[in-house]
Amino acid sequence: MAFPKKKLQGLVAATITPMTENGEINFSVIGQYVDYLVKEQGVKNIFVNGTTGEGLSLSISERRQVAEEWVTKGKDKLDQVVIHVGALSLKESQELAQHAAEIGADGIAVIAPFFLKPWTKDILINFLKEVAAAAPALPFYYYHIPALTGVKIRAEELLDGIQDKIPTFRGLKFSDTDLLDFGQCVDQNRQQQFAFLFGVDEQLLSALVMGATGAVGSTYNYLGKKTNQMLEAFERKDLSLALNYQFCIQRFINFVVKLGFGVSQTKAIMTLVSGIPMGPPRLPLQKASREFTDSAEAKLKSLDFLSFADLKDGSLEASS
Ligand SMILES: CC(=O)N[C@H](C=O)[C@@H](O)[C@H](O)[C@H](O)CO
Ligand SMILES: CC(=O)C(=O)O
């Protein structure tokens, strides 16, 4: 019976955790948020409680409630809901994995523990294996994000023989710019049906060329539609149009990166674009400044990202 689901592919939005002005989780907007992703952005997969969702800044009880709300509100609307269950405590991670299975999530993902760290591939595999075993019927994804975890074990090395150790292993979320490592993950695992999900939105086109089967990212919350157009152009082998879309997306990301871009800014941008209040982030993050939001808004407008007007071939060049 295990894994009736089809392979996770296409865009996966790393969901924001909406909060109220006093820092509590704002569950009341999650239903609207699901509809927005599906209808306005054409995004039908989500990745909950990850980096963008401030998963590691939430309590275990909050993480369970958030996961449950997304699964409930996504029912019959979303294709797949993957829950990030990584934690420093193996016990907590296992508890969250088991909970994800109980509520009917479609998969779980785990980052490397990042305080007391695994120093070898085998130790990291052992940790992941123990978490995966707590949800033996759920597809398992390793979430590789070395810049944030400080665990630099190459993904290519980790994947070597991983299914013998973790039978539920189904794919990799790769949030790093090392396309040699990413390409070799794909190249060395052609026999498997793994999902190779890229996590650096501004470089997605390069990863598609390397064999990415999908992407998980924060910008798909509000640039999902535009990115889907890039995926379609790539599918049709229209590389120059695909590149036009990637450059258009890069112009925006490059602009905000220079202003200082992270989860707080993602919350502000999503509020602006979707009209759904995402609220402030939780400490240690700080709310994005007014100046940031104003500049981002002006840029979004100049790139036509706010009106969602359909761009025709060629009109992209003009919008910078
Ligand atoms: C570190 C981080 O949060 N990475 C996100 C997902 O992996 C991306 O979606 C980035 O936010 C995006 O690529 C912009 O740099
Ligand atoms: C971007 C991403 O995948 C995350 O927020 O975890």
Side-chain angles (χ1 to χ4, degrees):
M1 80 108 235
F3 306 166
K5 280 273 173 180
K6 66 177 193 307
K7 184 161 124 185
L8 179 56
Q9 53 195 354
L11 294 186
V12 183
T15 55
I16 291 162
T17 301
M19 290 179 190
T20 61
E21 287 305 318
N22 48 24
E24 294 300 319
I25 295 169
N26 185 1
F27 293 100
S28 72
V29 299
I30 290 180
Q32 247 181 289
Y33 191 163
V34 168
D35 291 336
Y36 177 81
L37 288 176
V38 173
K39 292 186 191 136
E40 304 295 332
Q41 298 295 341
V43 172
K44 298 190 79 178
N45 303 294
I46 58 171
F47 186 86
V48 175
N49 288 337
T51 308
T52 305
E54 300 171 90
L56 277 303
S57 306
L58 306 180
S59 71
I60 296 301
S61 145
E62 286 176 323
R63 289 174 72 171
R64 293 167 61 111
Q65 293 173 64
V66 170
E68 216 161 320
E69 191 64 14
W70 280 107
V71 168
T72 306
K73 292 292 171 1
K75 203 163 219 54
D76 302 323
K77 291 180 176 175
L78 296 171
D79 285 341
Q80 297 208 27
V81 178
V82 174
I83 312 291
H84 171 249
V85 302
L88 291 179
S89 154
L90 175 60
K91 290 250 178 211
E92 288 180 350
S93 205
Q94 289 173 316
E95 177 193 328
L96 291 170
Q98 202 182 340
H99 176 256
E102 284 163 12
I103 62 176
D106 301 293
I108 52 171
V110 176
I111 51 168
F114 52 89
F115 188 65
L116 296 177
K117 298 179 178 54
W119 289 114
T120 67
K121 166 201 157 162
D122 289 339
I123 299 171
L124 176 53
I125 289 272
N126 283 341
F127 182 93
L128 300 175
K129 177 182 161 186
E130 297 281 328
V131 181
L138 281 189
F140 179 90
Y141 302 91
Y142 171 57
Y143 180 178
H144 180 64
I145 183 157
L148 288 187
T149 61
V151 176
K152 314 267 184 202
I153 298 162
R154 294 179 81 241
E156 170 256 316
E157 213 190 309
L158 192 84
L159 259 55
D160 184 23
I162 196 168
Q163 238 178 357
D164 299 337
K165 302 275 176 49
I166 307 176
T168 53
F169 181 84
R170 286 297 175 277
L172 171 71
K173 171 190 178 332
F174 189 94
S175 287
D176 189 44
T177 54
D178 183 349
L179 286 170
L180 171 61
D181 190 15
F182 184 71
Q184 283 305 292
C185 287
V186 177
D187 186 31
Q188 292 171 23
N189 294 282
R190 288 164 189 265
Q191 267 40 289
Q192 336 289 333
Q193 283 300 304
F194 295 156
F196 294 104
L197 307 163
F198 197 64
V200 184
D201 312 358
E202 54 276 38
Q203 302 181 352
L204 177 56
L205 184 57
S206 336
L208 291 174
V209 174
M210 286 286 162
T213 58
V216 187
S218 66
T219 65
Y220 310 134
N221 282 293
Y222 53 92
L223 297 180
K225 190 171 171 183
K226 192 103 330 175
T227 309
N228 271 322
Q229 288 171 312
M230 181 177 89
L231 296 186
E232 283 154 26
F234 182 77
E235 276 292 304
R236 292 197 309 270
K237 301 198 166 44
D238 187 344
L239 281 183
S240 81
L241 181 63
L243 187 58
N244 264 351
Y245 282 118
Q246 184 71 93
F247 281 159
C248 189
I249 290 162
Q250 281 196 346
R251 285 175 201 149
F252 178 70
I253 297 180
N254 193 48
F255 180 82
V256 290
V257 160
K258 285 196 262 183
L259 296 174
F261 181 66
V263 173
S264 315
Q265 289 70 26
T266 294
K267 285 188 128 163
I269 296 168
M270 182 60 172
T271 303
L272 208 84
V273 180
S274 69
I276 305 168
M278 295 295 149
R282 179 170 287 179
L283 282 166
L285 298 182
Q286 287 265 283
K287 199 173 176 191
S289 68
R290 186 61 205 251
E291 293 74 24
F292 173 87
T293 310
D294 289 347
S295 311
E297 181 172 11
K299 192 68 178 174
L300 285 163
K301 277 184 180 146
S302 79
L303 290 169
D304 226 0
F305 285 169
L306 265 183
S307 63
F308 297 111
D310 276 329
L311 286 165
K312 295 184 186 65
D313 297 9
S315 68
L316 286 161
E317 284 303 314
S319 57
S320 59

